[in-house]
Amino acid sequence: MAFQRPPGTQDILPGSAAIWQRVEEAARNLCRRFNYREIRTPIFEMTELFRRGVGETTDIVEKEMYTFEDRGGRSVTLRPEGTAGVVRAYVENKLYGEPDPAKLYYIGPMFRYERAQAGRYRQFHQFGVEAIGSVDPALDAEVIALGAMFYREIGLSGVRVEINSVGTPAVRAAFRGRLLEFLEPLKDQLCEDCRKRMERNPLRVLDCKVDQDKFGGAPSILDSLDEECRTHFEKVQQFLTAMDIPFAINHRLVRGLDYYTHTAFEYKAEGIGAIDTIGGGGRYNGLVREIGGPDQPGVGLGIGLERTVLLLEQQQEAAGETIDVYLIGLGEAAERETVRLLHALRQAGLKAERDYAGRKMKAQLKAADRLNARFAAILGDDELARGEITLKEMASGDQRFVKLDELAAAIREQG
Ligand code: HAM
């Protein structure tokens, strides 16, 4: 029996690797301009880090972690998200010694044992940023803007930004009471998950997909914010407006991780079945201390790259990969010249390909078509004797002779 990949994993094949590379390049380029520097942390960490960091009552820690004992008897876990590891590295390497906030980014695989479906995998990739060491709401707004700009620069349209404030732990404790008062009479109508969440983590109830329409009259956490939380949230909104980043306030937005304080936000888009969240993040002022570091605040985001690429592929279906020129040599002398010429075209920076199967000219032209070649360049012995080559534009079918040593320039000119 042939082997199959484990459920929930994906092979990223050359056909979509190009789009992955473009997306990752856009992320790096953006981070350079925002002055976020790359950090690479281990793909597994000690299990305790995630229990403490992500939170005991979260779905992630309760039922989604890939946890195992290594040969030394330690409990380790494949990282389900990037923030806990980055914060651990920040503390361990004392990056807080620097006067300015540490502005870090990462791109890499994450692991969650979830029910696999379109847009939901057990190994997936995130592009994330973390800015640690400042409470300035300008940093919240910067991170939200960075994510919005990422989607814009890769050419993904229809992405909405939703923001909320989840306050401080004290604010949440007060709100929990008000929320439970509202939920209690509904209890019998709620799904099993919600009933469980009411006991352990009532704010998460608001996030339930099944019972969503029952919460129209739920109290808003925004009404429970204290003065400091309200001012912070207002500033974030002012700064987003100053940067012309459209956003909507969603007072029911609660994230699936426990470390958030103040700002929480999500990027949403239609197109992947029931899933509409494609990225999210927020501020986490207690996390660094929670995992044993100094009392340093932070804010960050995580963007799911599978979901991003899926939507991009949908939106840009027509705009497939192309090559600049497909080189066809006919005859023995031309064959040798083709090898030299192909190499020269590539050295000149063009994306060039040839036939390696000894096919006839017609089949080679078909191959050029399949590869979305902009041009075919055809070299026969006669043309070679004159130092020329036939350049055929694939879309129009127009063809003309060009001098061999002007081929690269001719292709470029018409590009
Ligand atoms: P998160 O909302 O759990 O946040 O994940 C961020 C994004 O990762 C999601 O919006 C989604 O696009 C993608 N994602 C999550 N789970 C899966 C999955 N099973 N399959 C495919 N994509 C998935 C975090 O992870 C936080 N660490 C973000 C953050 C950084 N907050 C502050 N700093």
Side-chain angles (χ1 to χ4, degrees):
M1 199 190 76
F3 288 108
Q4 293 185 324
R5 56 180 186 265
T9 63
Q10 274 193 305
D11 297 313
I12 296 169
L13 301 173
S16 57
I19 215 165
W20 276 84
Q21 287 171 4
R22 191 159 68 69
V23 163
E24 288 169 5
E25 233 161 76
R28 290 181 196 285
N29 183 298
L30 197 61
C31 284
R32 186 183 55 75
R33 279 175 284 152
F34 278 72
N35 194 32
Y36 285 71
R37 295 152 75 215
E38 186 174 14
I39 183 163
R40 301 189 188 194
T41 62
I43 282 178
F44 61 91
E45 298 270 358
M46 305 307 284
T47 301
E48 191 54 24
L49 174 69
F50 300 117
R51 292 191 160 284
R52 286 261 218 106
V54 175
E56 294 281 0
T57 63
T58 58
D59 284 352
I60 295 178
V61 170
E62 279 188 349
K63 48 190 188 203
E64 295 171 359
M65 295 208 297
Y66 277 90
T67 298
F68 57 98
E69 210 170 83
D70 72 7
R71 286 169 193 278
R74 301 170 198 89
S75 179
V76 295
T77 294
L78 300 184
R79 63 182 185 195
E81 60 101 51
T83 312
V86 168
V87 169
R88 195 265 314 134
Y90 167 86
V91 173
E92 186 167 348
N93 298 288
K94 299 197 169 56
L95 301 184
Y96 47 80
E98 295 162 21
D100 303 312
K103 304 209 310 184
L104 307 163
Y105 82 91
Y106 50 91
I107 298 174
M110 310 288 161
F111 306 83
R112 294 182 194 177
Y113 192 85
E114 293 200 76
R115 206 148 45 84
Q117 62 182 89
R120 178 166 293 139
Y121 309 97
R122 291 180 177 171
Q123 172 172 341
F124 60 97
H125 297 74
Q126 277 185 0
F127 157 46
V129 311
E130 312 293 348
I132 313 173
S134 164
V135 291
D136 193 332
L139 212 47
D140 308 42
E142 173 177 294
V143 168
I144 296 171
L146 189 154
M149 216 163 136
F150 168 76
Y151 293 118
R152 196 176 311 149
E153 292 199 351
I154 59 172
L156 194 65
S157 53
V159 180
R160 295 167 286 130
V161 180
E162 290 186 2
I163 64 171
N164 191 20
S165 172
V166 295
T168 56
V171 164
R172 273 202 299 280
F175 176 65
R176 196 174 295 131
R178 291 182 54 209
L179 182 61
L180 283 173
E181 257 170 54
F182 167 81
L183 291 173
E184 208 57 56
L186 292 174
K187 192 166 181 179
D188 295 339
Q189 306 165 36
L190 299 182
C191 73
E192 200 188 316
D193 271 349
C194 278
R195 287 204 299 267
K196 254 191 247 156
R197 286 191 186 122
M198 271 180 71
E199 278 156 37
R200 309 203 57 177
N201 198 348
L203 266 70
R204 292 286 300 157
V205 174
L206 295 178
D207 206 31
C208 177
K209 287 263 182 322
V210 186
D211 292 323
Q212 204 44 248
D213 49 342
K214 304 191 179 111
F215 302 143
S220 163
I221 191 165
L222 297 176
D223 297 329
S224 294
L225 295 185
D226 60 23
E227 190 58 35
E228 184 219 335
C229 292
R230 201 170 310 122
T231 310
H232 187 94
F233 192 44
E234 271 164 17
K235 286 237 166 101
V236 173
Q237 294 173 53
Q238 281 167 20
F239 296 153
L240 287 174
T241 304
M243 287 185 283
D244 249 343
I245 309 282
F247 63 90
I249 296 176
N250 173 3
H251 72 85
R252 281 197 252 158
L253 190 155
V254 266
R255 310 254 312 124
L257 304 100
D258 274 356
Y259 46 62
Y260 294 110
T261 57
H262 296 279
T263 319
F265 58 89
E266 281 182 346
Y267 304 94
K268 296 192 172 172
E270 310 309 319
I272 321 181
I275 290 174
D276 62 355
T277 303
I278 57 175
R283 179 164 276 285
Y284 44 86
N285 286 354
L287 180 61
V288 182
R289 198 185 40 201
E290 179 64 32
I291 67 169
D295 193 6
Q296 292 279 4
V299 56
L301 64 72
I303 285 176
L305 294 186
E306 279 74 7
R307 293 178 190 181
T308 303
V309 168
L310 244 147
L311 289 175
L312 259 187
E313 283 179 336
Q314 273 175 28
Q315 289 187 5
Q316 304 182 351
E317 205 149 51
E321 258 186 284
T322 61
I323 66 170
D324 294 316
V325 54
Y326 192 91
L327 199 55
I328 300 174
L330 306 167
E332 212 170 291
E335 163 97 69
R336 195 170 336 111
E337 177 58 15
T338 307
V339 170
R340 186 199 68 77
L341 199 55
L342 186 65
H343 195 61
L345 288 170
R346 290 168 174 168
Q347 280 177 319
L350 291 169
K351 187 167 170 187
E353 188 52 291
R354 60 163 286 181
D355 167 77
Y356 299 101
R359 285 176 290 205
K360 301 234 158 54
M361 166 136 132
K362 217 172 132 194
Q364 291 199 37
L365 279 171
K366 259 198 198 145
D369 219 27
R370 251 196 329 273
L371 290 173
N372 283 327
R374 287 166 45 230
F375 293 96
I378 306 149
L379 187 65
D381 288 347
D382 289 356
E383 287 134 328
L384 178 59
R386 296 198 307 270
E388 288 185 339
I389 188 165
T390 305
L391 184 63
K392 175 180 167 128
E393 190 181 30
M394 297 298 286
S396 62
D398 293 347
Q399 55 182 59
R400 64 193 170 102
F401 293 119
V402 299
K403 292 254 172 286
L404 274 175
D405 52 8
E406 287 165 11
L407 179 60
I411 292 170
R412 227 183 238 111
E413 247 165 55
Q414 273 185 260

